[in-house]
Structures are given as C-alpha cells and as structure tokens.
Amino acid sequence: MKTDANEVSAYDGGTTESGTLWIQGSGYGKKRGVARLDAEKAIFRHLLFQGIPGTTYNLPMVPDESISKRDHAAFYTGFFEKGGYREFIMTSSTSALIKVDGNKRMDVQMKVNVNALRAHLEKNEIMRKFGL
C-alpha cells in the first residue's frame, strides 16, 4: 500500500457549518475498498498530525505524532485500524479507481465534524482542552 504519497487538501464541497471541514485525499489499492480506506486514513492522519493548509485547521491537532502514538497506542489502534475515525465523517463521495504508476488510485472527498473529533481527542486525553 502506498501511503506516503497520499495527497490531502481542503475541498470546497459546498455548505460548511461551523466546526466542520471538507477535505479531499487520495488513497491507493488494487480494489475500491482498500483505496477508500487508505484515503480516509490519510485524511485523518493529516488532520491530526500535520494540519490542513489553507484552513483554520492548518496546525496539527496532535503536535508530536511519535510521542502520542507511543503513549496512546491502544487509542490509535481503535481509531485507525478498527475504524473509529468513521464516526466523524458526516458525508463522503469517491472518484473512480484509476491506474497510476502500476497501482490504482481513488480520490475521496469528505466532510469531517472537527468539533466532535476535537472533543473525542480531549476526552481520551490525546490533546489538551482548548485554552489549557
């Protein structure tokens, strides 16, 4: 699976309520389901650990990825590997699976409830509460 080359950016998906964000990401895999999961995880990895340039969420929600993953390994297993991130996806759409450099790529556009995600991270002590 080719995850280092995933492209993630803000996406103008139309109506955006306060505390939500449209994000587009690419995923790779031989089948649609694999490519979609790769894109979804890439979107959340970027949002959590790198930020989304050009948005109010341009800074990472979790400032030190390696320390956080070490200290909260069980949380990240549930979040990424068991699909816990999906509860924060409000709506999504996908492109067709296209051949790229011997692999197949799919683009996913999704609307993420960032306020609920932030509250979830605070509740699980992954990040400090805002203002503390």
Side-chain angles (χ1 to χ4, degrees), residues 87-117:
E87 70 181 87
F88 307 103
I89 300 173
M90 299 174 72
T91 187
S92 68
S93 63
T94 61
S95 69
L97 196 60
I98 58 170
K99 259 190 169 176
V100 177
D101 297 330
N103 207 346
K104 294 183 180 178
R105 185 182 100 190
M106 170 189 286
D107 292 328
V108 174
Q109 301 82 30
M110 66 173 62
K111 186 177 186 181
V112 176
N113 186 337
V114 184
N115 280 353
L117 175 59

PDB file of all heavy atoms in Angstrom, residues 87-117:
ATOM      1  N   GLU A  87     -16.792   7.695  12.743  1.00  0.00           N
ATOM      2  CA  GLU A  87     -17.907   8.374  13.396  1.00  0.00           C
ATOM      3  C   GLU A  87     -17.846   9.892  13.195  1.00  0.00           C
ATOM      4  O   GLU A  87     -18.814  10.585  13.453  1.00  0.00           O
ATOM      5  CB  GLU A  87     -17.995   8.020  14.876  1.00  0.00           C
ATOM      6  CG  GLU A  87     -16.893   8.582  15.736  1.00  0.00           C
ATOM      7  CD  GLU A  87     -17.027   8.165  17.190  1.00  0.00           C
ATOM      8  OE1 GLU A  87     -16.512   7.082  17.521  1.00  0.00           O
ATOM      9  OE2 GLU A  87     -17.660   8.905  17.957  1.00  0.00           O
ATOM     10  N   PHE A  88     -16.726  10.411  12.703  1.00  0.00           N
ATOM     11  CA  PHE A  88     -16.579  11.842  12.490  1.00  0.00           C
ATOM     12  C   PHE A  88     -16.780  12.247  11.032  1.00  0.00           C
ATOM     13  O   PHE A  88     -16.697  13.421  10.697  1.00  0.00           O
ATOM     14  CB  PHE A  88     -15.213  12.307  13.013  1.00  0.00           C
ATOM     15  CG  PHE A  88     -15.006  11.882  14.436  1.00  0.00           C
ATOM     16  CD1 PHE A  88     -14.182  10.808  14.741  1.00  0.00           C
ATOM     17  CD2 PHE A  88     -15.702  12.503  15.457  1.00  0.00           C
ATOM     18  CE1 PHE A  88     -14.025  10.378  16.045  1.00  0.00           C
ATOM     19  CE2 PHE A  88     -15.553  12.077  16.770  1.00  0.00           C
ATOM     20  CZ  PHE A  88     -14.718  11.018  17.066  1.00  0.00           C
ATOM     21  N   ILE A  89     -17.040  11.284  10.153  1.00  0.00           N
ATOM     22  CA  ILE A  89     -17.323  11.563   8.743  1.00  0.00           C
ATOM     23  C   ILE A  89     -18.820  11.828   8.611  1.00  0.00           C
ATOM     24  O   ILE A  89     -19.636  10.954   8.896  1.00  0.00           O
ATOM     25  CB  ILE A  89     -16.914  10.392   7.835  1.00  0.00           C
ATOM     26  CG1 ILE A  89     -15.419  10.113   7.962  1.00  0.00           C
ATOM     27  CG2 ILE A  89     -17.296  10.692   6.380  1.00  0.00           C
ATOM     28  CD1 ILE A  89     -14.953   8.855   7.236  1.00  0.00           C
ATOM     29  N   MET A  90     -19.166  13.029   8.184  1.00  0.00           N
ATOM     30  CA  MET A  90     -20.571  13.399   8.052  1.00  0.00           C
ATOM     31  C   MET A  90     -21.135  12.945   6.705  1.00  0.00           C
ATOM     32  O   MET A  90     -22.259  12.488   6.613  1.00  0.00           O
ATOM     33  CB  MET A  90     -20.741  14.902   8.235  1.00  0.00           C
ATOM     34  CG  MET A  90     -20.295  15.369   9.623  1.00  0.00           C
ATOM     35  SD  MET A  90     -20.329  17.145   9.811  1.00  0.00           S
ATOM     36  CE  MET A  90     -22.099  17.414   9.870  1.00  0.00           C
ATOM     37  N   THR A  91     -20.345  13.104   5.667  1.00  0.00           N
ATOM     38  CA  THR A  91     -20.731  12.670   4.326  1.00  0.00           C
ATOM     39  C   THR A  91     -19.452  12.501   3.504  1.00  0.00           C
ATOM     40  O   THR A  91     -18.431  13.114   3.821  1.00  0.00           O
ATOM     41  CB  THR A  91     -21.692  13.677   3.651  1.00  0.00           C
ATOM     42  OG1 THR A  91     -22.162  13.132   2.424  1.00  0.00           O
ATOM     43  CG2 THR A  91     -21.039  15.016   3.391  1.00  0.00           C
ATOM     44  N   SER A  92     -19.518  11.665   2.478  1.00  0.00           N
ATOM     45  CA  SER A  92     -18.335  11.486   1.634  1.00  0.00           C
ATOM     46  C   SER A  92     -18.744  11.024   0.243  1.00  0.00           C
ATOM     47  O   SER A  92     -19.843  10.517   0.038  1.00  0.00           O
ATOM     48  CB  SER A  92     -17.367  10.478   2.250  1.00  0.00           C
ATOM     49  OG  SER A  92     -17.922   9.188   2.236  1.00  0.00           O
ATOM     50  N   SER A  93     -17.827  11.221  -0.690  1.00  0.00           N
ATOM     51  CA  SER A  93     -18.009  10.720  -2.052  1.00  0.00           C
ATOM     52  C   SER A  93     -16.641  10.306  -2.575  1.00  0.00           C
ATOM     53  O   SER A  93     -15.611  10.718  -2.049  1.00  0.00           O
ATOM     54  CB  SER A  93     -18.637  11.790  -2.953  1.00  0.00           C
ATOM     55  OG  SER A  93     -17.777  12.907  -3.057  1.00  0.00           O
ATOM     56  N   THR A  94     -16.649   9.473  -3.614  1.00  0.00           N
ATOM     57  CA  THR A  94     -15.398   8.958  -4.157  1.00  0.00           C
ATOM     58  C   THR A  94     -15.346   9.146  -5.665  1.00  0.00           C
ATOM     59  O   THR A  94     -16.375   9.250  -6.328  1.00  0.00           O
ATOM     60  CB  THR A  94     -15.239   7.455  -3.863  1.00  0.00           C
ATOM     61  OG1 THR A  94     -16.307   6.747  -4.487  1.00  0.00           O
ATOM     62  CG2 THR A  94     -15.229   7.180  -2.378  1.00  0.00           C
ATOM     63  N   SER A  95     -14.136   9.150  -6.186  1.00  0.00           N
ATOM     64  CA  SER A  95     -13.943   9.169  -7.639  1.00  0.00           C
ATOM     65  C   SER A  95     -13.817   7.721  -8.106  1.00  0.00           C
ATOM     66  O   SER A  95     -13.804   6.793  -7.308  1.00  0.00           O
ATOM     67  CB  SER A  95     -12.655   9.935  -7.973  1.00  0.00           C
ATOM     68  OG  SER A  95     -11.522   9.203  -7.544  1.00  0.00           O
ATOM     69  N   ALA A  96     -13.659   7.570  -9.390  1.00  0.00           N
ATOM     70  CA  ALA A  96     -13.409   6.237  -9.947  1.00  0.00           C
ATOM     71  C   ALA A  96     -11.993   5.806  -9.576  1.00  0.00           C
ATOM     72  O   ALA A  96     -11.125   6.631  -9.286  1.00  0.00           O
ATOM     73  CB  ALA A  96     -13.553   6.280 -11.466  1.00  0.00           C
ATOM     74  N   LEU A  97     -11.757   4.525  -9.570  1.00  0.00           N
ATOM     75  CA  LEU A  97     -10.431   3.958  -9.317  1.00  0.00           C
ATOM     76  C   LEU A  97      -9.659   4.045 -10.630  1.00  0.00           C
ATOM     77  O   LEU A  97     -10.094   3.501 -11.646  1.00  0.00           O
ATOM     78  CB  LEU A  97     -10.594   2.510  -8.859  1.00  0.00           C
ATOM     79  CG  LEU A  97      -9.426   1.817  -8.202  1.00  0.00           C
ATOM     80  CD1 LEU A  97      -8.996   2.545  -6.926  1.00  0.00           C
ATOM     81  CD2 LEU A  97      -9.805   0.390  -7.863  1.00  0.00           C
ATOM     82  N   ILE A  98      -8.521   4.750 -10.631  1.00  0.00           N
ATOM     83  CA  ILE A  98      -7.754   4.912 -11.865  1.00  0.00           C
ATOM     84  C   ILE A  98      -6.350   4.340 -11.693  1.00  0.00           C
ATOM     85  O   ILE A  98      -5.806   4.337 -10.593  1.00  0.00           O
ATOM     86  CB  ILE A  98      -7.668   6.391 -12.302  1.00  0.00           C
ATOM     87  CG1 ILE A  98      -7.042   7.251 -11.201  1.00  0.00           C
ATOM     88  CG2 ILE A  98      -9.028   6.933 -12.670  1.00  0.00           C
ATOM     89  CD1 ILE A  98      -6.709   8.659 -11.634  1.00  0.00           C
ATOM     90  N   LYS A  99      -5.776   3.847 -12.783  1.00  0.00           N
ATOM     91  CA  LYS A  99      -4.426   3.296 -12.771  1.00  0.00           C
ATOM     92  C   LYS A  99      -3.408   4.424 -12.729  1.00  0.00           C
ATOM     93  O   LYS A  99      -3.471   5.364 -13.520  1.00  0.00           O
ATOM     94  CB  LYS A  99      -4.189   2.464 -14.029  1.00  0.00           C
ATOM     95  CG  LYS A  99      -4.299   1.014 -13.805  1.00  0.00           C
ATOM     96  CD  LYS A  99      -3.830   0.249 -15.018  1.00  0.00           C
ATOM     97  CE  LYS A  99      -3.715  -1.204 -14.609  1.00  0.00           C
ATOM     98  NZ  LYS A  99      -3.365  -2.051 -15.704  1.00  0.00           N
ATOM     99  N   VAL A 100      -2.447   4.298 -11.795  1.00  0.00           N
ATOM    100  CA  VAL A 100      -1.386   5.287 -11.660  1.00  0.00           C
ATOM    101  C   VAL A 100      -0.103   4.559 -11.289  1.00  0.00           C
ATOM    102  O   VAL A 100      -0.035   3.928 -10.233  1.00  0.00           O
ATOM    103  CB  VAL A 100      -1.718   6.315 -10.547  1.00  0.00           C
ATOM    104  CG1 VAL A 100      -0.583   7.297 -10.361  1.00  0.00           C
ATOM    105  CG2 VAL A 100      -3.015   7.030 -10.836  1.00  0.00           C
ATOM    106  N   ASP A 101       0.899   4.629 -12.147  1.00  0.00           N
ATOM    107  CA  ASP A 101       2.225   4.059 -11.855  1.00  0.00           C
ATOM    108  C   ASP A 101       2.170   2.634 -11.321  1.00  0.00           C
ATOM    109  O   ASP A 101       2.751   2.318 -10.286  1.00  0.00           O
ATOM    110  CB  ASP A 101       2.972   4.943 -10.857  1.00  0.00           C
ATOM    111  CG  ASP A 101       3.250   6.341 -11.404  1.00  0.00           C
ATOM    112  OD1 ASP A 101       3.405   6.466 -12.629  1.00  0.00           O
ATOM    113  OD2 ASP A 101       3.303   7.282 -10.592  1.00  0.00           O
ATOM    114  N   GLY A 102       1.470   1.747 -11.974  1.00  0.00           N
ATOM    115  CA  GLY A 102       1.416   0.351 -11.576  1.00  0.00           C
ATOM    116  C   GLY A 102       0.524   0.069 -10.384  1.00  0.00           C
ATOM    117  O   GLY A 102       0.471  -1.046  -9.883  1.00  0.00           O
ATOM    118  N   ASN A 103      -0.179   1.066  -9.897  1.00  0.00           N
ATOM    119  CA  ASN A 103      -1.095   0.908  -8.782  1.00  0.00           C
ATOM    120  C   ASN A 103      -2.429   1.531  -9.189  1.00  0.00           C
ATOM    121  O   ASN A 103      -2.592   1.974 -10.324  1.00  0.00           O
ATOM    122  CB  ASN A 103      -0.532   1.604  -7.532  1.00  0.00           C
ATOM    123  CG  ASN A 103      -1.021   0.996  -6.241  1.00  0.00           C
ATOM    124  OD1 ASN A 103      -1.973   0.213  -6.224  1.00  0.00           O
ATOM    125  ND2 ASN A 103      -0.383   1.371  -5.151  1.00  0.00           N
ATOM    126  N   LYS A 104      -3.376   1.557  -8.307  1.00  0.00           N
ATOM    127  CA  LYS A 104      -4.653   2.205  -8.582  1.00  0.00           C
ATOM    128  C   LYS A 104      -4.924   3.232  -7.501  1.00  0.00           C
ATOM    129  O   LYS A 104      -4.629   3.009  -6.327  1.00  0.00           O
ATOM    130  CB  LYS A 104      -5.778   1.172  -8.635  1.00  0.00           C
ATOM    131  CG  LYS A 104      -5.629   0.233  -9.808  1.00  0.00           C
ATOM    132  CD  LYS A 104      -6.780  -0.722  -9.903  1.00  0.00           C
ATOM    133  CE  LYS A 104      -6.593  -1.653 -11.101  1.00  0.00           C
ATOM    134  NZ  LYS A 104      -7.665  -2.626 -11.198  1.00  0.00           N
ATOM    135  N   ARG A 105      -5.481   4.370  -7.915  1.00  0.00           N
ATOM    136  CA  ARG A 105      -5.721   5.486  -7.009  1.00  0.00           C
ATOM    137  C   ARG A 105      -7.184   5.906  -7.040  1.00  0.00           C
ATOM    138  O   ARG A 105      -7.837   5.855  -8.073  1.00  0.00           O
ATOM    139  CB  ARG A 105      -4.863   6.677  -7.396  1.00  0.00           C
ATOM    140  CG  ARG A 105      -4.985   7.839  -6.410  1.00  0.00           C
ATOM    141  CD  ARG A 105      -4.172   9.012  -6.830  1.00  0.00           C
ATOM    142  NE  ARG A 105      -5.098   9.942  -7.458  1.00  0.00           N
ATOM    143  CZ  ARG A 105      -4.744  11.011  -8.119  1.00  0.00           C
ATOM    144  NH1 ARG A 105      -3.475  11.291  -8.291  1.00  0.00           N
ATOM    145  NH2 ARG A 105      -5.637  11.800  -8.641  1.00  0.00           N
ATOM    146  N   MET A 106      -7.670   6.351  -5.884  1.00  0.00           N
ATOM    147  CA  MET A 106      -9.027   6.870  -5.766  1.00  0.00           C
ATOM    148  C   MET A 106      -8.968   8.147  -4.935  1.00  0.00           C
ATOM    149  O   MET A 106      -8.218   8.232  -3.962  1.00  0.00           O
ATOM    150  CB  MET A 106      -9.923   5.854  -5.052  1.00  0.00           C
ATOM    151  CG  MET A 106     -11.281   6.387  -4.670  1.00  0.00           C
ATOM    152  SD  MET A 106     -12.190   5.240  -3.615  1.00  0.00           S
ATOM    153  CE  MET A 106     -12.623   4.014  -4.834  1.00  0.00           C
ATOM    154  N   ASP A 107      -9.754   9.140  -5.323  1.00  0.00           N
ATOM    155  CA  ASP A 107      -9.882  10.352  -4.531  1.00  0.00           C
ATOM    156  C   ASP A 107     -11.169  10.276  -3.728  1.00  0.00           C
ATOM    157  O   ASP A 107     -12.201   9.825  -4.232  1.00  0.00           O
ATOM    158  CB  ASP A 107      -9.907  11.590  -5.420  1.00  0.00           C
ATOM    159  CG  ASP A 107      -8.561  11.817  -6.107  1.00  0.00           C
ATOM    160  OD1 ASP A 107      -7.521  11.484  -5.513  1.00  0.00           O
ATOM    161  OD2 ASP A 107      -8.562  12.327  -7.241  1.00  0.00           O
ATOM    162  N   VAL A 108     -11.098  10.718  -2.476  1.00  0.00           N
ATOM    163  CA  VAL A 108     -12.250  10.731  -1.581  1.00  0.00           C
ATOM    164  C   VAL A 108     -12.428  12.153  -1.080  1.00  0.00           C
ATOM    165  O   VAL A 108     -11.463  12.799  -0.667  1.00  0.00           O
ATOM    166  CB  VAL A 108     -12.037   9.774  -0.379  1.00  0.00           C
ATOM    167  CG1 VAL A 108     -13.158   9.899   0.630  1.00  0.00           C
ATOM    168  CG2 VAL A 108     -11.908   8.341  -0.857  1.00  0.00           C
ATOM    169  N   GLN A 109     -13.654  12.657  -1.153  1.00  0.00           N
ATOM    170  CA  GLN A 109     -13.997  13.945  -0.593  1.00  0.00           C
ATOM    171  C   GLN A 109     -14.916  13.683   0.587  1.00  0.00           C
ATOM    172  O   GLN A 109     -15.885  12.928   0.455  1.00  0.00           O
ATOM    173  CB  GLN A 109     -14.732  14.838  -1.606  1.00  0.00           C
ATOM    174  CG  GLN A 109     -13.948  15.125  -2.871  1.00  0.00           C
ATOM    175  CD  GLN A 109     -14.042  14.015  -3.895  1.00  0.00           C
ATOM    176  OE1 GLN A 109     -15.021  13.301  -3.984  1.00  0.00           O
ATOM    177  NE2 GLN A 109     -12.981  13.854  -4.676  1.00  0.00           N
ATOM    178  N   MET A 110     -14.593  14.281   1.736  1.00  0.00           N
ATOM    179  CA  MET A 110     -15.441  14.042   2.902  1.00  0.00           C
ATOM    180  C   MET A 110     -15.593  15.299   3.734  1.00  0.00           C
ATOM    181  O   MET A 110     -14.721  16.160   3.747  1.00  0.00           O
ATOM    182  CB  MET A 110     -14.902  12.903   3.759  1.00  0.00           C
ATOM    183  CG  MET A 110     -13.587  13.169   4.416  1.00  0.00           C
ATOM    184  SD  MET A 110     -13.062  11.885   5.576  1.00  0.00           S
ATOM    185  CE  MET A 110     -12.906  10.479   4.518  1.00  0.00           C
ATOM    186  N   LYS A 111     -16.727  15.340   4.400  1.00  0.00           N
ATOM    187  CA  LYS A 111     -16.998  16.411   5.352  1.00  0.00           C
ATOM    188  C   LYS A 111     -16.781  15.828   6.744  1.00  0.00           C
ATOM    189  O   LYS A 111     -17.414  14.838   7.110  1.00  0.00           O
ATOM    190  CB  LYS A 111     -18.438  16.895   5.194  1.00  0.00           C
ATOM    191  CG  LYS A 111     -18.790  18.093   6.010  1.00  0.00           C
ATOM    192  CD  LYS A 111     -20.224  18.486   5.664  1.00  0.00           C
ATOM    193  CE  LYS A 111     -20.652  19.744   6.312  1.00  0.00           C
ATOM    194  NZ  LYS A 111     -22.063  20.051   5.956  1.00  0.00           N
ATOM    195  N   VAL A 112     -15.864  16.441   7.505  1.00  0.00           N
ATOM    196  CA  VAL A 112     -15.472  15.935   8.819  1.00  0.00           C
ATOM    197  C   VAL A 112     -16.006  16.861   9.906  1.00  0.00           C
ATOM    198  O   VAL A 112     -15.890  18.086   9.805  1.00  0.00           O
ATOM    199  CB  VAL A 112     -13.926  15.845   8.919  1.00  0.00           C
ATOM    200  CG1 VAL A 112     -13.495  15.404  10.304  1.00  0.00           C
ATOM    201  CG2 VAL A 112     -13.379  14.909   7.853  1.00  0.00           C
ATOM    202  N   ASN A 113     -16.593  16.269  10.934  1.00  0.00           N
ATOM    203  CA  ASN A 113     -17.052  17.018  12.096  1.00  0.00           C
ATOM    204  C   ASN A 113     -15.838  17.215  13.007  1.00  0.00           C
ATOM    205  O   ASN A 113     -15.540  16.381  13.856  1.00  0.00           O
ATOM    206  CB  ASN A 113     -18.173  16.271  12.819  1.00  0.00           C
ATOM    207  CG  ASN A 113     -18.770  17.070  13.943  1.00  0.00           C
ATOM    208  OD1 ASN A 113     -18.150  17.975  14.493  1.00  0.00           O
ATOM    209  ND2 ASN A 113     -19.991  16.724  14.311  1.00  0.00           N
ATOM    210  N   VAL A 114     -15.135  18.323  12.797  1.00  0.00           N
ATOM    211  CA  VAL A 114     -13.889  18.575  13.513  1.00  0.00           C
ATOM    212  C   VAL A 114     -14.158  18.896  14.983  1.00  0.00           C
ATOM    213  O   VAL A 114     -13.364  18.523  15.847  1.00  0.00           O
ATOM    214  CB  VAL A 114     -13.082  19.702  12.824  1.00  0.00           C
ATOM    215  CG1 VAL A 114     -11.748  19.910  13.497  1.00  0.00           C
ATOM    216  CG2 VAL A 114     -12.863  19.372  11.360  1.00  0.00           C
ATOM    217  N   ASN A 115     -15.271  19.558  15.292  1.00  0.00           N
ATOM    218  CA  ASN A 115     -15.584  19.845  16.699  1.00  0.00           C
ATOM    219  C   ASN A 115     -15.766  18.560  17.491  1.00  0.00           C
ATOM    220  O   ASN A 115     -15.262  18.430  18.607  1.00  0.00           O
ATOM    221  CB  ASN A 115     -16.831  20.715  16.819  1.00  0.00           C
ATOM    222  CG  ASN A 115     -16.542  22.183  16.568  1.00  0.00           C
ATOM    223  OD1 ASN A 115     -15.397  22.598  16.431  1.00  0.00           O
ATOM    224  ND2 ASN A 115     -17.585  22.985  16.496  1.00  0.00           N
ATOM    225  N   ALA A 116     -16.495  17.615  16.944  1.00  0.00           N
ATOM    226  CA  ALA A 116     -16.705  16.335  17.634  1.00  0.00           C
ATOM    227  C   ALA A 116     -15.389  15.568  17.747  1.00  0.00           C
ATOM    228  O   ALA A 116     -15.117  14.942  18.776  1.00  0.00           O
ATOM    229  CB  ALA A 116     -17.747  15.498  16.905  1.00  0.00           C
ATOM    230  N   LEU A 117     -14.559  15.629  16.719  1.00  0.00           N
ATOM    231  CA  LEU A 117     -13.256  14.969  16.751  1.00  0.00           C
ATOM    232  C   LEU A 117     -12.395  15.570  17.861  1.00  0.00           C
ATOM    233  O   LEU A 117     -11.781  14.851  18.645  1.00  0.00           O
ATOM    234  CB  LEU A 117     -12.550  15.092  15.400  1.00  0.00           C
ATOM    235  CG  LEU A 117     -11.126  14.551  15.319  1.00  0.00           C
ATOM    236  CD1 LEU A 117     -11.064  13.075  15.671  1.00  0.00           C
ATOM    237  CD2 LEU A 117     -10.553  14.808  13.929  1.00  0.00           C
TER     238      LEU A 117
END
